[in-house]
Short mmCIF file of all heavy atoms in Angstrom, two decimals:
data_model
loop_
_atom_site.label_atom_id
_atom_site.label_comp_id
_atom_site.label_asym_id
_atom_site.label_seq_id
_atom_site.Cartn_x
_atom_site.Cartn_y
_atom_site.Cartn_z
N TRP A 321 -5.94 8.12 -17.32
CA TRP A 321 -7.10 8.22 -18.22
C TRP A 321 -8.40 8.22 -17.41
O TRP A 321 -9.28 9.06 -17.61
CB TRP A 321 -7.06 7.03 -19.20
CG TRP A 321 -8.27 6.84 -20.08
CD1 TRP A 321 -9.18 5.84 -19.99
CD2 TRP A 321 -8.68 7.67 -21.19
NE1 TRP A 321 -10.14 5.98 -20.96
CE2 TRP A 321 -9.85 7.10 -21.71
CE3 TRP A 321 -8.18 8.83 -21.78
CZ2 TRP A 321 -10.54 7.64 -22.80
CZ3 TRP A 321 -8.86 9.38 -22.86
CH2 TRP A 321 -10.02 8.79 -23.36
N ASN A 322 -8.49 7.27 -16.47
CA ASN A 322 -9.73 7.19 -15.67
C ASN A 322 -9.89 8.39 -14.74
O ASN A 322 -10.98 8.92 -14.58
CB ASN A 322 -9.74 5.89 -14.84
CG ASN A 322 -9.95 4.68 -15.72
OD1 ASN A 322 -10.61 4.76 -16.76
ND2 ASN A 322 -9.39 3.55 -15.33
N ARG A 323 -8.77 8.81 -14.14
CA ARG A 323 -8.83 9.90 -13.16
C ARG A 323 -9.12 11.25 -13.84
O ARG A 323 -9.94 12.03 -13.38
CB ARG A 323 -7.48 9.97 -12.42
CG ARG A 323 -7.37 11.11 -11.41
CD ARG A 323 -8.18 10.80 -10.19
NE ARG A 323 -8.18 11.88 -9.22
CZ ARG A 323 -9.18 12.76 -9.08
NH1 ARG A 323 -10.24 12.70 -9.86
NH2 ARG A 323 -9.12 13.69 -8.14
N ASN A 324 -8.38 11.51 -14.91
CA ASN A 324 -8.42 12.86 -15.50
C ASN A 324 -9.37 13.00 -16.68
O ASN A 324 -9.78 14.11 -17.01
CB ASN A 324 -7.02 13.29 -15.94
CG ASN A 324 -6.04 13.36 -14.77
OD1 ASN A 324 -5.15 12.53 -14.65
ND2 ASN A 324 -6.23 14.32 -13.89
N PHE A 325 -9.71 11.89 -17.33
CA PHE A 325 -10.54 12.01 -18.54
C PHE A 325 -11.86 11.25 -18.45
O PHE A 325 -12.71 11.38 -19.32
CB PHE A 325 -9.74 11.54 -19.77
CG PHE A 325 -8.47 12.34 -19.96
CD1 PHE A 325 -7.25 11.87 -19.50
CD2 PHE A 325 -8.51 13.59 -20.56
CE1 PHE A 325 -6.08 12.62 -19.64
CE2 PHE A 325 -7.35 14.36 -20.71
CZ PHE A 325 -6.14 13.87 -20.25
N GLN A 326 -12.01 10.43 -17.40
CA GLN A 326 -13.27 9.71 -17.22
C GLN A 326 -13.93 10.08 -15.88
O GLN A 326 -14.96 9.52 -15.53
CB GLN A 326 -13.04 8.18 -17.26
CG GLN A 326 -12.43 7.67 -18.56
CD GLN A 326 -13.37 7.83 -19.75
OE1 GLN A 326 -14.53 7.44 -19.68
NE2 GLN A 326 -12.90 8.44 -20.83
N GLY A 327 -13.31 10.95 -15.13
CA GLY A 327 -13.94 11.46 -13.91
C GLY A 327 -13.92 10.54 -12.71
O GLY A 327 -14.73 10.69 -11.79
N ALA A 328 -13.02 9.56 -12.68
CA ALA A 328 -12.99 8.64 -11.53
C ALA A 328 -12.16 9.26 -10.39
O ALA A 328 -10.93 9.28 -10.44
CB ALA A 328 -12.39 7.30 -11.95
N ALA A 329 -12.84 9.76 -9.37
CA ALA A 329 -12.14 10.39 -8.24
C ALA A 329 -11.77 9.37 -7.17
O ALA A 329 -11.05 9.69 -6.22
CB ALA A 329 -13.00 11.49 -7.63
N ALA A 330 -12.28 8.16 -7.31
CA ALA A 330 -11.96 7.10 -6.34
C ALA A 330 -11.55 5.84 -7.09
O ALA A 330 -12.00 5.60 -8.21
CB ALA A 330 -13.17 6.82 -5.45
N HIS A 331 -10.69 5.08 -6.43
CA HIS A 331 -10.18 3.85 -7.06
C HIS A 331 -10.22 2.73 -6.02
O HIS A 331 -9.65 2.86 -4.93
CB HIS A 331 -8.75 4.09 -7.55
CG HIS A 331 -8.14 2.89 -8.20
ND1 HIS A 331 -8.47 2.50 -9.49
CD2 HIS A 331 -7.26 1.97 -7.75
CE1 HIS A 331 -7.80 1.40 -9.80
NE2 HIS A 331 -7.06 1.06 -8.76
N ALA A 332 -10.89 1.64 -6.37
CA ALA A 332 -11.03 0.53 -5.42
C ALA A 332 -9.97 -0.54 -5.68
O ALA A 332 -9.70 -0.89 -6.83
CB ALA A 332 -12.42 -0.09 -5.57
N VAL A 333 -9.39 -1.03 -4.60
CA VAL A 333 -8.44 -2.15 -4.67
C VAL A 333 -9.17 -3.36 -4.10
O VAL A 333 -9.56 -3.36 -2.92
CB VAL A 333 -7.17 -1.85 -3.85
CG1 VAL A 333 -6.24 -3.06 -3.84
CG2 VAL A 333 -6.46 -0.63 -4.41
N LEU A 334 -9.38 -4.37 -4.94
CA LEU A 334 -10.29 -5.47 -4.57
C LEU A 334 -9.59 -6.82 -4.70
O LEU A 334 -9.68 -7.49 -5.73
CB LEU A 334 -11.52 -5.41 -5.48
CG LEU A 334 -12.22 -4.04 -5.51
CD1 LEU A 334 -13.23 -3.95 -6.63
CD2 LEU A 334 -12.87 -3.74 -4.16
N PRO A 335 -8.84 -7.22 -3.65
CA PRO A 335 -8.15 -8.50 -3.74
C PRO A 335 -9.10 -9.67 -3.49
O PRO A 335 -9.78 -9.71 -2.47
CB PRO A 335 -7.09 -8.41 -2.63
CG PRO A 335 -7.57 -7.36 -1.70
CD PRO A 335 -8.55 -6.49 -2.40
N TYR A 336 -9.12 -10.59 -4.45
CA TYR A 336 -9.90 -11.82 -4.24
C TYR A 336 -8.95 -12.86 -3.64
O TYR A 336 -8.63 -13.88 -4.25
CB TYR A 336 -10.58 -12.26 -5.56
CG TYR A 336 -11.85 -11.46 -5.76
CD1 TYR A 336 -11.80 -10.09 -5.99
CD2 TYR A 336 -13.11 -12.07 -5.64
CE1 TYR A 336 -12.96 -9.34 -6.11
CE2 TYR A 336 -14.27 -11.32 -5.76
CZ TYR A 336 -14.19 -9.96 -5.99
OH TYR A 336 -15.34 -9.22 -6.10
#
Side-chain angles (χ1 to χ4, degrees):
W321 171 250
N322 289 330
R323 177 74 183 101
N324 299 108
F325 301 97
Q326 300 294 310
H331 180 77
V333 176
L334 307 168
Y336 279 66

